[in-house]
Amino acid sequence: MKHFLLILLIFVLPVQDEKLEVYDYDGLEPLINQNDDKVHVVNFWATWCGPCIKELPYFEAINEKYDDDNVEVLLVSLDFPKKYDTALKPYIEKHKLKSRVVALNDTDQNRWIPAINENWSGALPATIIYRGNKRQFYEKSFTQEELETELKQFLKN
Amino acid sequence: MKTLKLFSALVLVLTLSAFTINTEDKGYNVGDVATDFSLENIDGKMVSLSDYKDAKGFIVTFTCNTCPYAVAYEDRIEALNKKYASKGFPVIAIMPNNIDVKPGDNMKSMQQRAKEKGFTFPYLMDKDQEIYPQYGATKTPHIYLLEKTDKGNVVKYIGAIDDNYQDASAVKEKYVENAVDALLKGEAIKVNETRAIGCSIKV
């Protein structure tokens, strides 16, 4: 039994050490409305969402590629809280995500979905690209090319 | 710079108007007459709304096996059917996903899931993916409450089942129940459209 606990600890501890920022909508709101000169790319996703996982590397890629252009990617996970330790944190670790990842834990969906964007039906994945007052919302999946094309509209010439 | 600003504003207006036109094209609004259909149930029989001669309406629920949000609502969908089928508002569940993309939603898996959970409502497959776009469903779960009238089945409510997708015991507002109760009492529905988080329908 002692050994079992020890083994359990070895496996569980590193994962639990990983800090995860969890917000309700009021906490998330300032993060998706930053009034600086950066281009912000906000992607709503979840580890179990197939099309989200497929496009996630594209967001990681632009985060790295356009770092010098003041582009910041924020990955907002909608995984269930009970999955934070068993799915979300291991995923972040396994795929070594460089973009900032936060979790949105707010059950009042009817409030925050239209607050994030009036046109959002609530389906995942969804993405916002904004800079200052210029803002575009996408309820769709991207190819890497499409994502870069959209992003470039927001970059300074 | 000024021209650039003007241009951006123009682009913004154009994009916004494109979006507006889009949303209008995308399916039903409250008050529209919803189409009937003939879709295969898990027992192999074809089901249409017109089969339900005595129904006063329908709780049409786009749902599936593979979406965690849909799974979180399974028991609540079953509870809705138990409560309202006898009062004239049965649940009609429709699985809209492309099963090549989501094999976990194929007919066999639907049958299995329905058996495990003891679904008492029809669980239909939108095999040709022609029904959900007409309704304008974008995700699972997505509810359309219909009322049978002389004009046809009129959409009375669109959106979420309730206000807590994580925890049934923490629900404060039961949107669908409130809407059906209002119809049963002949009262106006207070909240006739809500947003729900869900998994995009796989095409």
Side-chain angles (χ1 to χ4, degrees):
Chain A
M1 188 62 192
K2 249 184 185 167
H3 282 294
F4 174 73
L5 280 178
L6 201 68
I7 290 164
L8 196 73
L9 274 179
I10 289 167
F11 278 101
V12 171
L13 271 182
V15 176
Q16 285 193 334
D17 277 345
E18 187 82 20
K19 287 266 187 301
L20 178 70
E21 298 174 73
V22 182
Y23 298 103
D24 62 6
Y25 180 67
D26 293 320
L28 180 74
E29 206 258 330
L31 300 182
I32 60 172
N33 294 290
Q34 300 194 61
N35 212 348
D36 50 23
D37 201 34
K38 290 179 179 169
V39 179
H40 294 272
V41 181
V42 184
N43 175 242
F44 295 88
W45 68 294
T47 57
W48 46 258
C49 160
C52 306
I53 294 310
K54 197 176 163 205
E55 66 176 5
L56 206 65
Y58 313 148
F59 287 92
E60 281 285 280
I62 59 161
N63 190 49
E64 192 160 329
K65 185 171 168 186
Y66 295 96
D67 189 32
D68 296 339
D69 296 301
N70 266 329
V71 173
E72 262 187 23
V73 173
L74 177 69
L75 303 173
V76 182
S77 159
L78 282 151
D79 281 82
F80 287 129
K82 61 181 181 211
K83 295 283 184 186
Y84 290 165
D85 284 340
T86 55
L88 180 56
K89 289 176 188 176
Y91 187 92
I92 295 168
E93 194 145 329
K94 185 177 170 204
H95 296 273
K96 302 190 168 51
L97 299 186
K98 301 264 182 3
S99 309
R100 182 175 176 190
V101 181
V102 302
L104 173 60
N105 180 18
D106 193 326
T107 54
D108 195 0
Q109 47 188 354
N110 191 41
R111 174 181 166 234
W112 56 259
I113 293 169
I116 286 171
N117 189 280
E118 195 40 57
N119 289 313
W120 190 10
S121 83
L124 290 179
T127 299
I128 304 167
I129 305 179
Y130 73 94
R131 166 184 232 149
N133 291 325
K134 186 184 175 184
R135 181 175 281 259
Q136 191 66 261
F137 175 78
Y138 311 86
E139 181 170 336
K140 58 169 279 187
S141 307
F142 285 104
T143 63
Q144 177 138 20
E145 229 182 345
E146 285 169 348
L147 183 59
E148 288 205 43
T149 307
E150 292 303 323
L151 175 67
K152 279 175 184 161
Q153 296 181 27
F154 288 82
L155 296 174
K156 278 187 181 156
N157 296 320
Chain B
M1 190 59 201
K2 230 178 188 173
T3 19
L4 184 69
K5 262 190 187 161
L6 261 174
F7 181 67
S8 326
L10 188 68
V11 168
L12 189 70
V13 169
L14 284 177
T15 346
L16 282 178
S17 54
F19 264 105
T20 323
I21 293 161
N22 256 337
T23 41
E24 275 171 9
D25 277 342
K26 277 184 188 163
Y28 300 136
N29 292 314
V30 169
D32 289 346
V33 174
T35 185
D36 199 350
F37 40 74
S38 179
L39 298 174
E40 189 181 357
N41 194 7
I42 42 174
D43 62 5
K45 292 182 183 142
M46 303 304 281
V47 171
S48 298
L49 298 179
S50 59
D51 300 340
Y52 292 76
K53 304 286 180 223
D54 299 330
K56 294 173 184 157
F58 304 93
I59 304 170
V60 175
T61 304
F62 292 92
T63 187
C64 69
N65 293 341
T66 52
C67 171
Y69 299 122
V71 170
Y73 271 112
E74 280 172 336
D75 293 342
R76 284 177 266 182
I77 295 168
E78 174 58 26
L80 280 174
N81 192 55
K82 282 233 171 71
K83 184 167 178 187
Y84 290 111
S86 58
K87 294 180 179 169
F89 284 87
V91 167
I92 310 287
I94 301 175
M95 199 299 292
N97 287 336
N98 177 347
I99 56 170
D100 292 333
V101 181
K102 281 279 168 194
D105 283 323
N106 65 23
M107 192 44 98
K108 211 176 156 199
S109 308
M110 284 170 62
Q111 289 161 347
Q112 201 177 338
R113 195 67 193 154
K115 201 175 162 193
E116 280 166 13
K117 299 299 293 183
F119 290 164
T120 55
F121 49 82
Y123 191 16
L124 316 176
M125 182 183 273
D126 188 4
K127 200 170 150 198
D128 299 325
Q129 298 198 294
E130 280 173 356
I131 299 305
Y132 85 78
Q134 293 184 60
Y135 277 73
T138 56
K139 61 194 184 288
T140 54
H142 202 156
I143 312 291
Y144 290 76
L145 172 63
L146 313 181
E147 184 179 36
K148 204 190 267 186
T149 72
D150 296 340
K151 288 193 291 179
N153 293 305
V154 176
V155 179
K156 301 303 265 188
Y157 169 85
I158 303 172
I161 291 175
D162 56 43
D163 65 356
N164 194 316
Y165 59 89
Q166 290 179 7
D167 183 1
S169 64
V171 167
K172 290 192 208 98
E173 235 182 302
K174 297 181 170 178
Y175 302 125
V176 170
E177 288 202 20
N178 292 345
V180 181
D181 287 342
L183 288 181
L184 286 170
K185 284 187 223 156
E187 291 170 0
I189 295 170
K190 284 192 190 108
V191 180
N192 59 14
E193 205 157 358
T194 59
R195 304 294 174 92
I197 194 77
C199 308
S200 57
I201 291 172
K202 306 300 182 287
V203 290

